[in-house]
């Protein structure tokens, strides 16, 4: 399998496309610029099977409905944020002056706790990693050696916790107990900025020195 990082939307949130050899794919956090994303998928002859959301802040959901409707595919989201897609207050799009309110229809698939997820030929582990937001999850693909962490962990940083529902200590515990427990060579596909690895963050992330 191969993966591609596409920064999209008003603050260039990383969407990721994980593709198998047949051209089937999963899309993670399509944050905006729907026309750009749809054209890219068409040009690459990729067939999405599902949209997986690490969480439901506005900058991660802006293209959800457009992609969902274009391919008639389901959206997966954690139960703790199942009402956020429809609510601009909860997804925080109303907090940014001058920006259009962002909404999407409810997710078809609600994730209840940690579990193994199987979609077509794709298999992953759903890890609950709250702290940045109450329903934040990370999708770990063991065979591919990659975890899609959303805004939990960044290269040399961690997700912000000053938004409603954020909890700094909870985020540190999520990173320590879920992400840092993954193999050191695991690629961390972050919600913003460059990718990193578990080992690199173990060694040099200043926010994790106390872990």
């Amino acid at each position: 399998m191969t993966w591609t990082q596409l920064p999209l939307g008003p603050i260039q949130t990383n969407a990721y496309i994980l593709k198998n050899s047949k051209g089937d794919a999963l899309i993670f956090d399509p944050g905006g610029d729907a026309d750009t994303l749809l054209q890219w998928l068409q040009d690459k002859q990729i067939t999405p099977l599902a949209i997986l959301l690490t969480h439901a802040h506005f900058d991660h959901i802006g293209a959800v409905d457009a992609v969902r409707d274009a391919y008639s595919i389901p959206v997966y989201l954690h139960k703790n944020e199942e009402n956020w897609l429809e609510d601009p207050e909860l997804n925080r799009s109303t907090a940014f002056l001058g920006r259009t309110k962002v909404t999407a229809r409810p997710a078809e698939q609600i994730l209840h706790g940690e579990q193994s997820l199987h979609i077509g030929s794709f298999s992953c582990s759903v890890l609950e990693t709250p702290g940045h937001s109450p329903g934040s999850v990370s999708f770990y693909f063991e065979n591919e050696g990659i975890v899609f962490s959303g805004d939990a962990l960044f290269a040399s940083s961690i997700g912000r916790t000053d938004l409603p529902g954020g909890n700094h200590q909870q985020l540190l515990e999520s990173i320590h107990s879920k992400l840092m427990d993954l193999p050191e060579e695991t690629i961390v596909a972050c919600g913003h900025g460059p990718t990193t690895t578990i080992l690199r963050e173990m060694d040099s992330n200043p926010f994790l020195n106390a872990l």
Side-chain angles (χ1 to χ4, degrees):
M1 294 189 184
T2 60
W3 57 272
T4 301
Q5 178 193 71
L6 292 177
L8 299 171
I11 55 177
Q12 294 293 276
T13 301
N14 290 328
Y16 292 94
I17 297 88
L18 180 66
K19 180 180 73 72
N20 66 18
S21 59
K22 296 180 180 179
D24 295 331
L26 301 179
I27 299 180
F28 301 85
D29 294 349
D33 298 328
D35 290 344
T36 298
L37 177 55
L38 290 171
Q39 187 63 55
W40 187 90
L41 293 168
Q42 182 178 335
D43 290 345
K44 301 294 184 181
Q45 298 183 321
I46 290 173
T47 303
L49 301 181
I51 297 170
L52 277 59
L53 298 177
T54 61
H55 64 294
H57 281 148
F58 77 96
D59 57 312
H60 291 251
I61 66 171
V64 162
D65 278 352
V67 176
R68 167 167 45 187
D69 291 345
Y71 292 96
S72 299
I73 56 176
V75 174
Y76 289 72
L77 178 66
H78 192 276
K79 64 178 180 179
N80 286 349
E81 296 178 15
E82 63 180 309
N83 298 323
W84 287 32
L85 294 176
E86 299 174 281
D87 192 332
E89 292 287 342
L90 292 174
N91 68 45
R92 304 303 294 161
S93 56
T94 58
F96 290 79
L97 295 177
R99 299 207 182 279
T100 303
K101 293 181 180 179
V102 176
T103 61
R105 300 191 306 277
E108 288 81 6
Q109 299 292 331
I110 302 301
L111 301 170
H112 295 268
E114 299 196 335
Q115 59 193 274
S116 295
L117 198 59
H118 304 282
I119 304 172
S121 66
F122 300 89
S123 297
C124 70
S125 298
V126 179
L127 308 177
E128 291 184 305
T129 49
H132 172 67
S133 69
S136 287
V137 297
S138 297
F139 298 98
Y140 173 51
F141 290 77
E142 181 177 7
N143 291 339
E144 286 69 41
I146 188 169
V147 60
F148 298 90
S149 67
D151 289 358
L153 180 63
F154 300 130
S156 299
S157 188
I158 61 174
R160 61 186 295 182
T161 55
D162 59 330
L163 298 175
N167 184 307
H168 183 76
Q169 186 58 40
Q170 185 182 44
L171 178 58
L172 290 178
E173 291 173 358
S174 293
I175 294 171
H176 175 64
S177 64
K178 304 297 174 62
L179 299 180
M180 292 297 106
D181 198 41
L182 298 177
E184 294 180 349
E185 65 274 13
T186 302
I187 296 168
V188 181
C190 314
H192 300 273
T195 60
T196 184
T197 66
I198 294 298
L199 177 59
R200 190 177 303 154
E201 299 315 303
M202 282 181 175
D203 288 346
S204 62
N205 191 313
F207 293 90
L208 306 183
N209 287 343
L211 296 182

